[in-house]
Amino acid sequence: DPDMPFVPSIPEDQFILVEEGDSTIIPCRTSDPNAQVTLMNSSGKAVFAVYDSKQGFTGSFPAGSYTCKTMVKDVEFKSDEFLIYILRATSELPVKIEAIKTVYKTGETIVVTCVVFDNEVVNLQWNYPGKVKEKGLIKLDDIKVPSQKLVYTLTIPEASVKDTGDYECTARQATKEVKENKKVVITVHDKGFVHLEPRFSSLENVDLHEVKNFVVDVQ
């Protein structure tokens, strides 16, 4: 088709997600198999890559926008813009689980954090006592600086004794089929069980060289 030398692309083809170090295809295909096609980056410079009219350009490309161009009877045509995003993914999956504390009283808010380092292509699942009743809020923070980490935070408001048990996060590397599992045990008591009776005020003064004893009764 001399009026449309580039096969129209669908929106899904224009956003290309690539793992760090992998090759990919920029799918600017032509209706003329003999067309001479040039790949251009966002700076307008030609990029060398292997071309197949039925697939497009194949290679390892930096993140950014790319456009293909060709000439038909001295008229220049440009393809749609293709955007490449580079995702960090490693064969190892460093995961750490953290809890502010592991012993709570009824009514307090449980907070458990699962951190995945150096990976962006991750599926993460939580298992915990209140999951069946869909009790809990999950938040994700994608931190890039100073290093890549995904911070998944599980929050259980108004904890009860039934929330006692194993809190487990399982991270899966979405493309390399690597899995890592971490667990922490949380205990929720019906009520506080330590009672303190200080025999001194919150602010005490002492003279130089004076020895002063502080006594606390613990029940």
Side-chain angles (χ1 to χ4, degrees), residues 188-206:
V188 182
H189 293 283
D190 185 38
K191 58 184 180 180
F193 55 88
V194 176
H195 179 67
L196 302 178
E197 266 190 26
R199 298 282 180 82
F200 49 89
S201 63
S202 58
L203 178 63
E204 293 278 347
N205 297 314
V206 63

Side-chain angles (χ1 to χ4, degrees), residues 19 87-90 93 119-124 171-179:
E19 285 187 23
L87 298 176
R88 183 166 175 76
T90 61
L93 197 57
N119 280 267
E120 293 178 280
V121 195
V122 173
N123 294 323
L124 187 131
R172 288 181 173 83
Q173 217 278 14
T175 57
K176 299 183 184 298
E177 297 185 359
V178 180
K179 184 175 77 171

Side-chain angles (χ1 to χ4, degrees), residues 16-219:
I16 305 168
L17 302 178
V18 191
E19 285 187 23
E20 199 172 45
D22 285 357
S23 64
T24 189
I25 295 175
I26 297 177
C28 51
R29 300 173 292 130
T30 55
S31 57
D32 177 4
N34 297 314
Q36 298 298 309
V37 183
T38 304
L39 179 64
M40 312 295 292
N41 61 19
S42 58
S43 301
K45 295 182 179 179
V47 178
F48 175 77
V50 177
Y51 184 71
D52 182 331
S53 63
K54 296 180 181 181
Q55 292 186 319
F57 285 97
T58 302
S60 295
F61 306 104
S65 67
Y66 295 84
T67 308
C68 302
K69 71 175 185 178
T70 189
M71 299 290 291
V72 178
K73 296 179 180 179
D74 296 328
V75 178
E76 184 178 274
F77 287 84
K78 289 186 177 181
S79 70
D80 294 322
E81 184 183 39
F82 298 92
L83 298 172
I84 291 183
Y85 296 91
I86 305 296
L87 298 176
R88 183 166 175 76
T90 61
S91 56
E92 295 182 351
L93 197 57
V95 179
K96 182 179 180 181
I97 194 166
E98 300 173 329
I100 297 173
K101 57 182 183 177
T102 56
V103 179
Y104 291 84
K105 290 190 300 181
T106 295
E108 290 186 322
T109 299
I110 298 173
V111 179
V112 181
T113 301
C114 196
V115 185
V116 182
F117 299 91
D118 299 328
N119 280 267
E120 293 178 280
V121 195
V122 173
N123 294 323
L124 187 131
Q125 289 184 329
W126 286 98
N127 281 307
Y128 55 97
K131 184 177 181 179
V132 176
K133 296 184 178 180
E134 297 183 352
K135 185 177 182 181
L137 305 171
I138 298 173
K139 184 183 74 168
L140 169 61
D141 293 310
D142 187 354
I143 299 172
K144 305 289 187 185
V145 179
S147 60
Q148 170 64 43
K149 62 180 178 180
L150 299 173
V151 181
Y152 298 83
T153 303
L154 171 64
T155 303
I156 311 288
E158 297 292 326
S160 69
V161 175
K162 293 181 180 179
D163 292 309
T164 294
D166 293 344
Y167 285 68
E168 186 176 58
C169 67
T170 302
R172 288 181 173 83
Q173 217 278 14
T175 57
K176 299 183 184 298
E177 297 185 359
V178 180
K179 184 175 77 171
E180 189 66 35
N181 180 278
K182 296 292 180 181
K183 181 177 73 174
V184 64
V185 179
I186 300 291
T187 304
V188 182
H189 293 283
D190 185 38
K191 58 184 180 180
F193 55 88
V194 176
H195 179 67
L196 302 178
E197 266 190 26
R199 298 282 180 82
F200 49 89
S201 63
S202 58
L203 178 63
E204 293 278 347
N205 297 314
V206 63
D207 294 329
L208 184 64
H209 303 307
E210 179 187 357
V211 175
K212 198 163 190 177
N213 292 322
F214 297 91
V215 180
V216 177
D217 287 337
V218 181
Q219 297 178 7

